[in-house]
Amino acid sequence: MILSSLQKEARIILSDIHSIGVLLILPVAFMLIMTFAMSEQHNDIIAKTSVHVSTKHPSQLLSVYEGYIQKQGFTLTQTKQSSDIHIQLPESFDSNILTGLEPQSIVVNIQSNITPQKQKSVEELIKVALSKLRLHVYMIDSGDLDEDLSLTDQITEIEDSTNVSAYFKVNASVKTVTTPTLYSVPSWIIFGIYFIVLPVSITVINEKQNGTLIRLKTFPISSAQYFVSKFSAFYLLSIVQLIVLTLVGVFMVPIVTEQPDIVVNDWGVYILGGFFIVLAANALAFCVASVVNSYEQAIVLGGGINILLAALSGFMVPIDILPDVMAEIATFSPLYWSAEVIRSTFIDKPLSSILPYLVKLFVFSCIAMSLASFLFINKIRKLTWN
Amino acid sequence: MSNAIQVKQLSFQYKTNSYYSLSDISLDIKANKCTGIIGPNGAGKSTFISALCGLLPSFDGKVIYSGCENVSLLESVKQKVALVPQEYAFYPQLSVLQNLRYFLSLCSSKQSSLAQRSLLNEILEQCVLSDVVNTKASKLSGGYKRRLNIAIALVKKPEVLFLDEPTVGIDPESRDVIISLLQQFKREGKTLLFTSHMLDEVEKICDDIIMLKDGSATFMDHTEQNNILLTVTFSSELTEPLNAEYQCIEPLKYQRVLTSKSQLNECLLELSHSSASIEYLNYSANSVERIYQQGIK
């Protein structure tokens, strides 16, 4: 019966281009788009930001400041109009740089197309450039910087003396995500897997609306048997979907997006995690399918829950730049636990750090499956002729 | 004649309604016969079938399937009954054979694959579906879809078949195929329960009629010798009223339905003592159309 059910559901899904789109094409498209979107490095973002520095009065330090601005990675422009950021220096800039500038005397105008995250980085780098300029002037005054050197050499000397990177050795307590693919591929694989909610809901609605469920009620199988056979069929289909998405995500996406290869360090752990993830996704899907009564409800509730959980789980915006409250909420989402399981196998985290997520997924699956079976059987029980 | 289903004092009220949708219905549905269930919309036909199929959560009274006295109603239904809903209750994405195989897999795990194949071939032939066996159900014409709907019910090898308007929305040719199919089921000894708004079909196929109105049921044996319409016209006004079973259909003209031929002699004797002389008397088989019209009055 389970085999027949699997064959039936597979044929129905394969004959429906929308289901294939939702289960395979959509997540692959998201993997590619989001990897491309995240592939720009911080340095590239700063280099694309154009800065124009001006002063109303002649200033000898203007070109020196411009030099430091450039050293921070910005691109200088000659006109205010063509710049993303315009820095207006005060009248007494040269004379007061060491003794103390008036508060808020340097005006920084930022164009509206700069995102809040980017703005913060930009502001910090502009301040760093000013600090270096002050050091530059101080060292000229004190004779520690050779006045005879060219401006470029002077700036290079200051840059070298303020570069402290070599003194640090950073030990992260956990292995971290270092490439966009390691972030986006797990997220969108999981997004696709949890979208099984739509085919499951639509199948149940179709069966209810065309009288198949009422007919099945008179067949010599119990509602519980039918639930189990249907659940098993979709579980196996989700496993196939996970295999396809994994192959695409691990082997194709890095090539297409020109990103470093993804290495699955322990396929055994990956497969184990996959079983738990698919169980949780289907349990949630059957819960939703047991509640909805129309296609509209299935799309709004099924699709809505998935998109909402994906947003809360940091799939659309990386979790480390979410506010603390939202990051905390994410830790309660089964989509987040699922993505973390996959991500952990990509960055070679030990099984001990994956285990808590597997336990959470299993507990969630048990609760959701119990609820789904109760709702599903109750739904069939209430069906009457017409 | 044995009974396939015994209905005893069946009453049911939906929680949202203040009235009974089925009110104290008691009747026997004969085995190996076709019983038509007729009545206007809202008369309780669907609720009645739901009750017979164990699809209502609870109701007053009893529905007993012959040979299943000691098992629950739903269990009896699972053993003996197959439903043919009015909707196309199958998977349009699957072919005719795939549909049949799937439904067969739900009920015949103990059958050998050879026996299953032979049953499927038999059903395909019987329902004249052999030439579309690999066609997707969604691509079938209305007539073929109706036949597939019936064929799926047959994989259960049911003793009792409930059919809800099995010929609705199809061309006359396909309708004839389905009607002859149902007549064949009768010959094979299946018990059929059949709802339809097409009274000529009911007339053609059914042996008995259950007329439902406002939750009450009237059972009528529709076989010719047991369902007679007696019409009598008097030459003058009656000074003493006739028996209450007579219905005045126009001045001086009365009709009465007799449920057996033996009643005819009694009636003639009764009429010979009436207060006016008889000008014209006729008896004929009562038509379903007339039963329906009388029922809804």
Side-chain angles (χ1 to χ4, degrees), chain A residues 114-133:
Chain A
I114 305 271
T115 62
Q117 290 83 5
K118 190 171 166 185
Q119 187 181 325
K120 211 165 182 181
S121 304
V122 163
E123 279 176 30
E124 289 306 315
L125 290 170
I126 289 171
K127 286 173 195 166
V128 167
L130 184 65
S131 303
K132 287 181 178 174
L133 174 66

Side-chain angles (χ1 to χ4, degrees), chain A residues 17-306:
Chain A
I17 188 77
H18 301 105
S19 294
I20 295 173
V22 161
L23 296 180
L24 296 175
I25 300 169
L26 187 74
V28 169
F30 269 120
M31 268 188 237
L32 292 170
I33 292 167
M34 297 309 276
T35 304
F36 272 124
M38 293 173 71
S39 61
E40 205 171 48
Q41 298 293 312
H42 181 260
N43 291 347
D44 300 331
I45 295 168
I46 295 301
K48 280 187 184 169
T49 308
S50 56
V51 178
H52 176 70
V53 188
S54 69
T55 174
K56 284 181 181 164
H57 298 273
S59 166
Q60 289 181 334
L61 294 181
L62 177 66
S63 56
V64 188
Y65 189 46
E66 283 178 337
Y68 283 110
I69 286 285
Q70 255 180 321
K71 279 285 179 191
Q72 301 317 306
F74 292 111
T75 306
L76 281 177
T77 58
Q78 294 306 309
T79 60
K80 188 174 141 184
Q81 285 74 22
S82 61
S83 65
D84 296 318
I85 292 160
H86 172 227
I87 304 169
Q88 170 95 50
L89 301 178
E91 190 182 328
S92 53
F93 186 69
D94 286 16
S95 53
N96 292 342
I97 184 81
L98 284 179
T99 53
L101 294 163
E102 290 285 315
Q104 300 184 347
S105 59
I106 300 173
V107 180
V108 180
N109 295 308
I110 297 173
Q111 295 296 315
S112 57
N113 59 355
I114 305 271
T115 62
Q117 290 83 5
K118 190 171 166 185
Q119 187 181 325
K120 211 165 182 181
S121 304
V122 163
E123 279 176 30
E124 289 306 315
L125 290 170
I126 289 171
K127 286 173 195 166
V128 167
L130 184 65
S131 303
K132 287 181 178 174
L133 174 66
R134 285 182 79 172
L135 180 65
H136 184 118
V137 176
Y138 175 78
M139 286 177 74
I140 291 281
D141 273 6
S142 63
D144 291 330
L145 189 63
D146 190 352
E147 267 187 277
D148 296 334
L149 287 173
S150 69
L151 180 60
T152 313
D153 290 343
Q154 286 175 355
I155 288 172
T156 307
E157 202 171 315
I158 291 292
E159 281 290 331
D160 290 345
S161 61
T162 53
N163 185 356
V164 292
S165 302
Y167 308 136
F168 290 94
K169 182 187 175 209
V170 179
N171 286 321
S173 61
V174 287
K175 292 180 177 172
T176 52
V177 173
T178 49
T179 65
T181 42
L182 292 179
Y183 199 87
S184 64
V185 168
S187 297
W188 300 106
I189 285 178
I190 294 306
F191 187 67
I193 296 292
Y194 277 76
F195 247 108
I196 194 75
V197 66
L198 280 187
V200 172
S201 302
I202 287 170
T203 308
V204 174
I205 290 165
N206 276 337
E207 286 179 342
K208 190 186 167 201
Q209 288 188 349
N210 72 9
T212 313
L213 273 188
I214 199 94
R215 166 174 261 168
L216 289 170
K217 207 174 161 180
T218 64
F219 269 70
I221 53 159
S222 66
S223 304
Q225 278 175 305
Y226 185 65
F227 176 82
V228 170
S229 76
K230 202 169 192 62
F231 190 92
S232 309
F234 275 101
Y235 184 85
L236 293 172
L237 283 173
S238 290
I239 296 277
V240 174
Q241 185 200 6
L242 179 63
I243 292 168
V244 174
L245 289 180
T246 300
L247 292 176
V248 172
V250 172
F251 299 108
M252 202 189 91
V253 172
I255 296 170
V256 175
T257 57
E258 296 176 342
Q259 292 292 316
D261 288 346
I262 294 174
V263 179
V264 178
N265 291 286
D266 189 339
W267 279 104
V269 175
Y270 190 91
I271 291 165
L272 177 73
F275 285 125
F276 282 85
I277 290 165
V278 166
L279 186 68
N282 278 277
L284 180 64
F286 274 77
C287 264
V288 173
S290 305
V291 172
V292 296
N293 287 313
S294 66
Y295 301 113
E296 291 80 7
Q297 284 179 11
I299 290 162
V300 172
L301 201 64
I305 284 177
N306 206 22

Side-chain angles (χ1 to χ4, degrees), chain B:
Chain B
M1 181 70 64
S2 64
N3 293 323
I5 311 167
Q6 278 180 286
V7 181
K8 292 179 181 173
Q9 296 172 312
L10 173 64
S11 295
F12 177 75
Q13 184 178 16
Y14 286 103
K15 281 178 189 166
T16 48
N17 291 350
S18 57
Y19 56 88
Y20 276 89
S21 297
L22 301 175
S23 174
D24 197 24
I25 298 174
S26 293
L27 46 87
D28 295 331
I29 292 164
K30 291 180 203 124
N32 316 328
K33 294 276 182 185
C34 180
T35 304
I37 301 169
I38 58 171
N41 290 333
K45 295 192 295 288
S46 303
T47 313
F48 182 60
I49 294 176
S50 288
L52 296 192
C53 295
L55 301 176
L56 292 180
S58 66
F59 54 79
D60 295 331
K62 276 187 175 175
V63 175
I64 304 163
Y65 281 80
S66 163
C68 294
E69 288 77 9
N70 299 321
V71 293
S72 72
L73 175 57
L74 195 56
E75 205 46 51
S76 320
V77 170
K78 282 178 187 284
Q79 282 177 25
K80 291 181 172 259
V81 177
L83 287 184
V84 182
Q86 189 181 329
E87 300 86 6
Y88 299 128
F90 49 73
Y91 298 97
Q93 302 91 337
L94 306 186
S95 73
V96 169
L97 188 62
Q98 286 164 352
N99 264 297
L100 289 171
R101 274 193 186 145
Y102 170 68
F103 284 98
L104 183 61
S105 76
L106 300 179
C107 56
S108 62
S109 54
K110 285 173 194 160
Q111 270 189 342
S112 70
S113 59
L114 194 68
Q116 288 188 4
R117 209 173 302 143
S118 129
L119 175 66
L120 287 182
N121 286 337
E122 195 184 308
I123 292 170
L124 286 167
E125 260 179 51
Q126 196 173 21
C127 297
V128 203
L129 286 166
S130 302
D131 52 340
V132 289
V133 79
N134 292 317
T135 308
K136 256 191 183 182
S138 60
K139 302 257 190 266
L140 296 174
S141 67
Y144 276 112
K145 281 180 182 167
R146 288 265 161 239
R147 273 182 266 163
L148 174 59
N149 218 18
I150 295 172
I152 288 168
L154 298 180
V155 299
K156 261 189 85 177
K157 295 203 252 179
E159 287 175 28
V160 182
L161 255 174
F162 281 87
L163 301 113
D164 186 18
E165 304 205 37
T167 58
V168 76
I170 54 173
D171 60 73
E173 203 181 325
S174 303
R175 208 177 133 199
D176 288 344
V177 174
I178 288 176
I179 287 173
S180 60
L181 191 61
L182 300 184
Q183 282 164 337
Q184 193 188 331
F185 293 157
K186 262 169 68 176
R187 285 195 297 276
E188 287 171 5
K190 291 191 195 308
T191 304
L192 306 181
L193 278 104
F194 173 68
T195 73
S196 179
H197 286 291
M198 298 169 106
L199 300 177
D200 59 324
E201 263 176 25
V202 178
E203 179 102 60
K204 220 175 202 174
I205 306 168
C206 297
D207 306 301
D208 299 327
I209 309 283
I210 295 171
M211 170 76 197
L212 280 161
K213 195 199 165 198
D214 300 332
S216 297
T218 313
F219 182 86
M220 276 162 276
D221 184 336
H222 181 55
T223 45
E224 206 174 319
Q225 68 275 22
N226 293 327
N227 193 5
I228 299 159
L229 184 73
L230 178 69
T231 308
V232 56
T233 309
F234 294 98
S235 55
S236 59
E237 282 291 339
L238 291 164
T239 52
E240 283 175 36
L242 283 174
N243 178 327
E245 287 182 36
Y246 286 92
Q247 205 179 359
C248 180
I249 54 166
E250 55 186 75
L252 306 180
K253 193 172 183 179
Y254 293 81
Q255 276 186 341
R256 180 182 171 179
V257 177
L258 307 179
T259 51
S260 72
K261 223 168 185 175
S262 60
Q263 275 186 299
L264 196 57
N265 284 337
E266 290 168 33
C267 284
L268 292 174
L269 192 67
E270 198 178 79
L271 287 170
S272 66
H273 294 109
S274 56
S275 57
S277 57
I278 295 169
E279 189 179 275
Y280 172 83
L281 190 136
N282 172 266
Y283 73 90
S284 60
N286 199 6
S287 72
V288 174
E289 175 80 38
R290 203 175 288 125
I291 292 170
Y292 184 83
Q293 293 303 337
Q294 285 168 346
I296 60 170
K297 266 182 194 168

